[in-house]
């Protein structure tokens, strides 16, 4: 209960407030900034006059509680157009009433450390029947969480058109829409930097493959800042205020430390062993912010975080100063951009610390969220310039490699041509050697036989003539084999017929030809074709010399995809159990199955290429 003098003083204050707001034109916006406030902290209630804005943490040292604001105003007459209420900042949760009628509730006043509606400006439509000529009362009740920037800014009530379009929408664009755009920008820059960090892998001096750290710290800085700015549009965070507040403070410190690490790499200090100690204070920035914010929220004493942020600003200022000096000593466009952005961001961050955490002003927006976009742009330009330089270097290496490959291909082509010429020479040499060998083994042996026959004096002229003819026919067949395609049995038989048919006719032997179209025998190469040719010649030569046949028949047919050859005569036959060695060896060489059948009047030499 209040004493009598206090009540009298309160009544006089309300009267003065009413006189100050009296006779306001009904169609002009009214700024409400005087009234009374009733606070409840730790079950203790206190009522007093108030002048807005009202900074809860500064007024009550971060203790949580409730506050009821009553803001009187007077209208000369009832409004003729729709009205609205613009509240730049209020919270953390609140209810808005007009003349004791509930207009809007934002969050649950009975539950603390939950939603936070102080992040975005508020517009509340006013039903026309609630406003009346004369005295009116706007009542705003808030629940304030510890160290959460709770309070109430000055309030404007008036016609909906100017209040909404001129005041609310402008403030909403700066604080809410601007935060969304900044978050999207940071995510894009962070995504680009992260993609470059993941894909750009280069060998170091020791040959180990490493990624460029400048891309990693750029990505981490932008992702931390995106999370921090995104909090400005999250009225109901996924965690309660304690853990969420610690997380947001750590994201802020992570952004600052990562940005400094980006500058650390940009200045080339990462390659200087004497400068590596700087990494530990940067890690301390993050760890200290985490610890101080946890203590400030746990003990409900914001000055823990305020004091630590002051130390952090001092360290950042020293670092930025050192980076600026190093930049001016060795200036590049990228370093100058980053140094300028860092100095601007440092100045805005210092301003925010003074205004937000030390002054009694409420409703102010942090400036560093907007200056950070300059740092993000500079960071993006640096990342893209470095990537472009790396790409140009890579293209140079690719061009050099392509030239080396082309030169190597030319060398290989020249070597291949030389080897091909050598191979052709060797093939010709082997072919000459084969012809000479065939002449020695075939023609030579026949001529030797003819010489022995002459020397013995016992051979008849017919026998000597047959020997010489065999020698000549074998020579011709050796020459023909040079042009035979590998595996073409039909061509081989045709050449054999061409060479031997005149001789058969001269010997008085009728020749029958029964050769069908047969498939190619894949395993018969040039050597195999010669062996098959000599095998058939051997069989026909035996007929000419020993069989005393009247008819010789050559058959060739396709049996289930395999070639079958037969040399048939009607001579006197021979003992088929004694297979001539020359025939069996040559059949084995060409991979054919040899079958012999012989009786008086019919002898068959059969080859199956199964």
């Amino acid at each position: 209960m209040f004493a009598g003098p206090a009540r009298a003083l309160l009544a006089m204050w309300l009267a003065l407030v009413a006189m100050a707001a009296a006779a306001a034109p009904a169609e002009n916006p009214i700024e409400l900034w005087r009234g009374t406030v009733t606070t409840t902290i730790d079950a203790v209630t206190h009522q007093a006059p108030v002048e807005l804005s009202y900074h809860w943490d500064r007024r009550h040292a971060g203790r949580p509680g409730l506050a009821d604001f009553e803001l009187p105003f007077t209208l000369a007459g009832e409004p003729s157009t729709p009205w609205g209420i613009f509240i730049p900042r209020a919270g953390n949760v609140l209810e808005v009433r007009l003349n004791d009628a509930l207009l809007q509730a934002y969050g649950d006043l009975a539950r603390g450390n939950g939603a936070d509606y102080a992040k975005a400006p508020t517009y509340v439509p006013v039903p026309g029947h609630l406003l009346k000529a004369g005295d009116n009362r706007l009542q705003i009740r808030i629940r304030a969480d510890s160290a959460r920037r709770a309070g109430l800014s000055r309030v404007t009530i008036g016609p909906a058109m100017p209040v909404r379009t001129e005041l609310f929408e402008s403030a909403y664009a700066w604080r809410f829409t601007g935060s969304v755009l900044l978050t999207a920008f940071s995510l894009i820059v962070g995504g680009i930097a992260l993609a470059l960090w993941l894909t750009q892998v280069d060998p170091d001096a020791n040959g180990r493959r490493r990624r460029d750290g400048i891309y990693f710290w750029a990505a981490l800085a932008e992702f931390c800042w995106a999370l921090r700015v995104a909090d400005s549009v999250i009225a109901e965070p996924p965690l309660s205020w304690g853990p969420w507040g610690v997380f947001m403070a750590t994201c802020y410190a992570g952004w600052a430390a990562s940005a400094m690490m980006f500058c650390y790499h940009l200045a080339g200090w990462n390659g200087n062993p004497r400068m590596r100690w700087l990494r530990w204070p940067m890690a301390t920035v993050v760890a200290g912010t985490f610890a101080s914010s946890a203590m400030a929220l746990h003990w409900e004493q914001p000055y823990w975080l305020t004091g630590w942020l002051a130390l952090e600003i001092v360290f950042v200022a020293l670092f930025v100063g050192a980076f600026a000096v190093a930049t001016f000593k060795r200036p590049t466009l990228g370093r100058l951009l980053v140094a300028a952005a860092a100095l601007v961001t440092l100045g805005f961050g210092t301003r925010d610390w003074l205004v937000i955490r030390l002054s009694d002003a409420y409703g102010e927006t942090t400036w560093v969220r907007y200056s950070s976009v300059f740092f993000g742009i500079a960071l993006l330009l640096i990342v893209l310039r470095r990537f472009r330089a790396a790409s140009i270097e890579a293209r140079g290496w690719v061009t050099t490699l392509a030239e080396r490959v082309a030169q190597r291909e030319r060398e290989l082509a020249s070597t291949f041509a030389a080897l091909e010429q050598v191979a052709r020479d060797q093939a010709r040499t082997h072919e000459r050697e084969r012809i000479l060998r065939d002449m020695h083994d075939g023609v030579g042996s026949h001529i030797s036989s003819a010489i022995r026959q002459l020397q013995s004096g016992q051979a008849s002229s017919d026998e000597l003539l047959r020997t010489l003819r065999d020698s000549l026919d074998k020579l011709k067949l050796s020459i023909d084999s040079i042009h035979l395609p590998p595996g073409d049995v039909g061509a081989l038989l045709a050449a054999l017929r061409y060479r031997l048919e005149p001789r058969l006719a001269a010997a008085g032997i009728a020749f029958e030809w029964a050769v069908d179209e047969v498939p190619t025998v894949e395993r018969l190469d040039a050597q195999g074709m010669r062996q098959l040719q000599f095998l058939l010649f051997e069989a026909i030569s035996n007929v000419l010399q020993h069989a005393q046949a009247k008819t010789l028949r050559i058959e060739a047919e396709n049996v289930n995809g395999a070639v079958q050859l037969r040399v048939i005569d009607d001579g006197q036959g021979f003992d088929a159990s004694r297979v001539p060695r020359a025939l069996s060896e040559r059949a084995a060489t060409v991979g054919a199955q040899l079958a012999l059948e012989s009786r008086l009047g019919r002898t068959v030499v059969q080859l199956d290429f199964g």
Side-chain angles (χ1 to χ4, degrees):
M1 300 297 294
F2 297 98
R7 288 183 178 178
L9 182 60
L10 179 59
M12 292 177 60
W13 175 261
L14 291 175
L16 290 172
V17 170
M19 291 176 61
E27 300 300 325
N28 292 332
I30 305 170
E31 186 178 54
L32 305 181
W33 56 281
R34 287 182 177 176
T36 60
V37 60
T38 302
T39 59
T40 302
I41 302 175
D42 297 330
V44 176
T45 300
H46 180 74
Q47 187 179 42
V50 67
E51 290 187 2
L52 302 179
S53 60
Y54 192 89
H55 196 310
W56 178 274
D57 289 336
R58 296 287 298 169
R59 298 289 184 99
H60 303 289
R63 303 291 296 171
L66 297 169
D68 290 281
F69 296 90
E70 187 168 300
L71 307 173
F73 62 97
T74 302
L75 297 179
E78 293 184 4
S80 58
T81 59
W83 274 41
I85 301 170
F86 169 57
I87 307 174
R89 191 178 188 95
N92 302 105
V93 295
L94 66 151
E95 286 182 356
V96 181
R97 296 175 181 270
L98 181 62
N99 296 328
D100 296 322
L102 179 63
L103 297 179
Q104 191 64 268
Y106 298 91
D108 186 1
L109 290 172
R111 186 171 68 91
N113 294 326
D116 183 9
Y117 289 91
K119 298 175 181 179
T122 302
Y123 175 79
V124 182
V126 177
H129 68 275
L130 294 180
L131 291 169
K132 58 184 179 180
D135 295 335
N136 293 268
R137 291 178 303 131
L138 179 64
Q139 300 146 306
I140 301 176
R141 192 179 194 197
I142 69 169
R143 181 182 187 93
D145 299 324
S146 177
R148 206 175 185 184
R149 295 187 66 194
L152 180 64
S153 62
R154 293 189 174 190
V155 180
T156 300
I157 185 171
M161 184 61 68
V163 171
R164 182 178 181 86
T165 58
E166 297 177 10
L167 300 178
F168 170 75
E169 290 181 357
S170 175
Y172 189 86
W174 275 102
R175 289 179 55 189
F176 189 88
T177 307
S179 297
V180 172
L181 295 176
L182 289 174
T183 300
F185 174 76
S186 295
L187 289 175
I188 292 172
V189 175
I192 294 173
L194 180 62
L196 294 177
W197 181 74
L198 291 174
T199 57
Q200 301 302 304
V201 183
D202 299 314
D204 60 9
N206 299 322
R208 292 174 296 183
R209 296 178 66 81
R210 292 185 179 274
R211 293 182 172 89
D212 194 341
I214 197 169
Y215 297 135
F216 172 79
W217 294 112
L220 187 59
E222 290 303 312
F223 286 145
C224 286
W225 190 245
L227 288 172
R228 181 66 185 87
V229 175
D231 178 58
S232 301
V233 299
I234 302 175
E236 298 186 8
L239 303 175
S240 63
W241 165 234
W244 185 254
V246 173
F247 177 63
M248 285 295 103
T250 306
C251 285
Y252 186 90
W255 166 73
S258 299
M260 287 189 289
M261 284 298 297
F262 176 84
C263 297
Y264 176 82
H265 280 74
L266 184 61
W269 293 340
N270 59 309
N272 187 349
R274 293 181 298 176
M275 301 296 290
R276 292 180 180 175
W277 63 271
L278 276 173
R279 295 177 294 180
W280 297 107
M282 296 178 197
T284 304
V285 167
V286 179
T289 302
F290 177 86
S292 61
S293 60
M295 290 188 295
L297 293 173
H298 179 71
W299 290 327
E300 298 179 348
Q301 294 177 344
Y303 61 79
W304 283 100
L305 182 57
T306 300
W308 174 258
L309 290 178
L311 295 176
E312 185 178 316
I313 289 174
V314 171
F315 172 72
V316 173
L318 293 174
F319 180 89
V320 171
F323 179 75
V325 171
T327 298
F328 293 139
K329 287 182 178 179
R330 292 190 305 167
T332 64
L333 178 60
R335 291 182 182 179
L336 289 172
L337 288 173
V338 173
L343 290 170
V344 172
T345 303
L346 175 64
F348 284 11
T350 304
R351 175 264 174 195
D352 290 344
W353 180 77
L354 293 171
V355 173
I356 303 299
R357 305 201 69 88
L358 294 185
S359 73
D360 292 333
Y362 186 75
E364 293 286 340
T365 300
T366 57
W367 287 10
V368 74
R369 73 172 64 188
Y370 303 111
S371 68
S372 66
V373 73
F374 299 119
F375 186 83
I377 292 173
L379 183 149
L380 179 61
L381 290 176
I382 292 298
V383 167
L384 294 180
R385 283 171 62 87
R386 287 176 67 92
F387 175 70
R388 180 175 179 273
S391 299
I392 292 174
E393 183 179 1
R395 285 197 295 271
W397 280 106
V398 170
T399 302
T400 302
L401 181 60
E403 292 176 354
R404 291 181 178 178
V405 169
Q407 181 180 359
R408 195 67 173 173
E409 287 179 347
R410 289 191 294 270
E411 294 174 355
L412 289 174
S414 177
T415 303
F416 179 78
L419 291 175
E420 194 175 39
Q421 182 62 39
V422 170
R424 286 195 296 268
D425 293 342
Q426 288 180 346
R428 284 194 294 268
T429 300
H430 291 327
E431 190 65 20
R432 292 190 189 101
E433 291 175 353
R434 180 192 67 79
I435 295 173
L436 291 174
R437 185 170 56 252
D438 290 345
M439 291 178 65
H440 178 271
D441 295 341
V443 178
S445 64
H446 282 79
I447 292 176
S448 297
S449 298
I451 292 173
R452 286 194 298 271
Q453 288 173 347
L454 286 172
Q455 289 176 342
S456 67
Q458 298 177 357
S460 66
S461 60
D462 290 338
E463 291 176 348
L464 181 61
L465 184 60
R466 281 197 302 269
T467 300
L468 293 175
R469 283 176 175 172
D470 283 348
S471 175
L472 182 60
D473 289 339
K474 204 159 190 178
L475 177 61
K476 292 177 179 179
L477 290 174
S478 296
I479 296 172
D480 289 341
S481 66
I482 298 175
H483 307 290
L484 289 176
D488 193 346
V489 176
L492 184 148
L493 293 175
L496 195 68
R497 177 184 181 183
Y498 173 74
R499 293 298 181 187
L500 297 180
E501 189 174 12
R503 187 175 171 189
L504 291 170
I509 299 174
F511 182 70
E512 295 181 0
W513 180 261
V515 176
D516 298 335
E517 184 175 353
V518 293
T520 300
V521 180
E522 298 294 339
R523 60 177 176 269
L524 287 179
D525 55 7
Q527 180 64 24
M529 293 289 285
R530 287 193 297 272
Q531 293 296 329
L532 177 60
Q533 187 184 54
F534 293 155
L535 189 155
L536 295 173
F537 177 79
E538 187 77 20
I540 296 172
S541 180
N542 288 336
V543 173
L544 287 169
Q545 295 183 32
H546 310 295
Q548 298 178 7
K550 293 184 172 56
T551 303
L552 176 69
R553 180 181 178 84
I554 294 180
E555 296 180 354
E557 59 181 334
N558 183 351
V559 180
N560 298 324
V563 177
Q564 189 178 84
L565 300 179
R566 283 186 294 274
V567 178
I568 305 171
D569 69 84
D570 58 355
Q572 61 185 5
F574 65 95
D575 185 3
S577 63
R578 299 174 61 184
V579 180
R581 182 179 178 182
L583 295 181
S584 62
E585 289 180 353
R586 293 187 189 277
T589 301
V590 298
Q593 184 177 357
L594 176 65
L596 295 179
E597 174 191 342
S598 183
R599 65 178 184 271
L600 182 63
R602 181 175 175 81
T603 299
V604 180
V605 178
Q606 180 172 305
L607 295 173
D608 288 295
F609 293 90

